[in-house]
Amino acid sequence: MSKVVLITGATAGFGAAAVRRFAASGWRVIATGRRTERLQALVDELGSRNVHAAAFDIRDTAAMDVALDAIPADFRDIDLLVNNAGLALGTLPAQDASLDDWNTMIATNISALVTLTHRLLPKLIERKGAIINISSVASTYPYTGGNVYGGTKAFVRQFSLGLRSDLHGTGVRVTSIEPGMAETEFTLVRTHGDQSASDKLYQGARPMTAEDIADTIHWVATLPPHLNINRLELMPVSQSFAGFQVDRQH
Ligand code: NDP
Ligand code: 8X3
């Protein structure tokens, strides 16, 4: 019987590419996200024997539980959880940022991720499975306007390392993948729908692609079971680090 992966945030970007990558190598995939029509398009493209669509807002724990209870028998033995759903909202410095945006990021990137992980841990332990969490380079390198987004991704990285420790002896593997700039709908969402801002950021920058990250997730997941990648940071060649800033006015 082929393995089963549950991928959150499967309606776009890394998640949609990961659904295709895992389905192509024979995994059965539970694809989640809010946009039902996009999930259905994946089922139509890849087949209902290979993909089960579970549409819910990941911040809604009751809806999550209904969706988990409705997973068909063929997809219930989950071997891998890919916690990918997430978002950045806004690029303003903390003093000008929206508190609603901050709370949405915390609810999605942290609270929903830990809730789903908690729900699936018994099954993942039973299966000697794996968890791959999508963090970000923003978890390590601060930048102006990254405030709460970077904080949520630092949580994801540290939670991943903590899980490794707690799951010692269970055979469950845990990885934090920390990508830099990749062209997806990420910037469109971050700018509240400003397509020109998104196009401008990626234009000429040779960003990573969703497929680059999907291949990386798939590679981590298919390593021999005695190997654990703890953290994996990757960037496009065109992106690197900037220096500190110094204020000479005050
Ligand atoms: P996209 O915006 O293309 O995809 C985000 C996915 O998250 C969508 O499928 C969306 O589904 C889902 N999602 C967001 N909010 C919710 C919600 N409330 N309930 C259910 N699903 C939700 O972005 P990426 O593919 O780029 O991002 C994937 C992950 O990678 C995120 O965690 C992001 O922070 C991280 N990341 C992205 C980088 C980049 O440069 N692109 C770099 C580093 C990390 P829907 O809207 O249908 O619900
Ligand atoms: C997304 C990468 O550099 O925009 O997590 O924060 S970055």
Side-chain angles (χ1 to χ4, degrees):
M1 204 56 166
S2 57
K3 289 192 167 187
V4 178
V5 54
L6 188 152
I7 300 173
T8 67
T11 59
F14 302 168
V19 171
R20 294 190 174 95
R21 183 67 188 84
F22 278 90
S25 64
W27 289 59
R28 278 164 295 143
V29 184
I30 302 164
T32 85
R34 287 168 298 186
R35 285 169 285 182
T36 313
E37 67 292 348
R38 290 197 184 193
L39 295 176
Q40 188 54 48
L42 285 169
V43 174
D44 293 344
E45 176 188 331
L46 301 166
S48 58
R49 288 168 65 90
N50 304 315
V51 179
H52 168 70
F56 61 95
D57 186 325
I58 201 161
R59 296 166 297 175
D60 181 343
T61 304
M64 180 192 292
D65 286 339
V66 168
L68 292 177
D69 286 345
I71 294 173
D74 278 4
F75 290 81
R76 291 195 88 85
D77 282 339
I78 297 168
D79 298 289
L80 171 63
L81 168 61
V82 178
N83 276 317
N84 165 72
L87 75 173
L89 288 172
T91 53
L92 293 172
Q95 56 275 30
D96 301 319
S98 150
L99 183 57
D100 282 348
D101 283 353
W102 281 8
N103 284 326
T104 301
M105 288 187 277
I106 293 165
T108 311
N109 301 358
I110 298 180
S111 301
L113 182 147
V114 302
T115 302
L116 182 60
T117 303
H118 193 268
R119 290 287 195 269
L120 294 186
L121 271 176
K123 175 59 77 179
L124 292 166
I125 291 169
E126 178 194 315
R127 303 287 299 166
K128 290 192 179 7
I131 301 168
I132 297 178
N133 291 326
I134 306 302
S135 174
S136 165
V137 291
S139 69
T140 301
Y141 309 100
Y143 59 86
T144 320
N147 40 67
V148 166
Y149 177 67
T152 65
K153 292 302 185 179
F155 175 91
V156 172
R157 183 192 61 210
Q158 196 64 17
F159 180 56
S160 306
L161 298 176
L163 281 172
R164 274 280 285 139
S165 209
D166 289 350
L167 292 166
H168 182 82
T170 65
V172 176
R173 300 188 287 174
V174 186
T175 301
S176 167
I177 296 185
E178 299 157 19
M181 183 171 59
E183 185 168 6
T184 61
E185 294 176 13
F186 177 82
T187 301
L188 192 62
V189 171
R190 184 170 208 166
T191 59
H192 296 281
D194 186 342
Q195 186 66 56
S196 67
S198 177
D199 292 345
K200 198 169 151 205
L201 177 68
Y202 299 124
Q203 194 174 24
R206 300 196 66 189
M208 295 186 293
T209 65
E211 289 71 26
D212 292 330
I213 307 304
D215 284 345
T216 304
I217 296 169
H218 185 266
W219 174 74
V220 167
T222 53
L223 287 167
H226 67 284
L227 283 178
N228 194 97
I229 304 287
N230 299 331
R231 296 179 52 225
L232 196 162
E233 182 183 300
L234 68 166
M235 279 177 158
V237 175
S238 60
Q239 183 184 32
S240 65
F241 319 101
F244 296 109
Q245 48 191 344
V246 177
D247 173 16
R248 301 187 196 284
Q249 305 295 319
H250 299 97

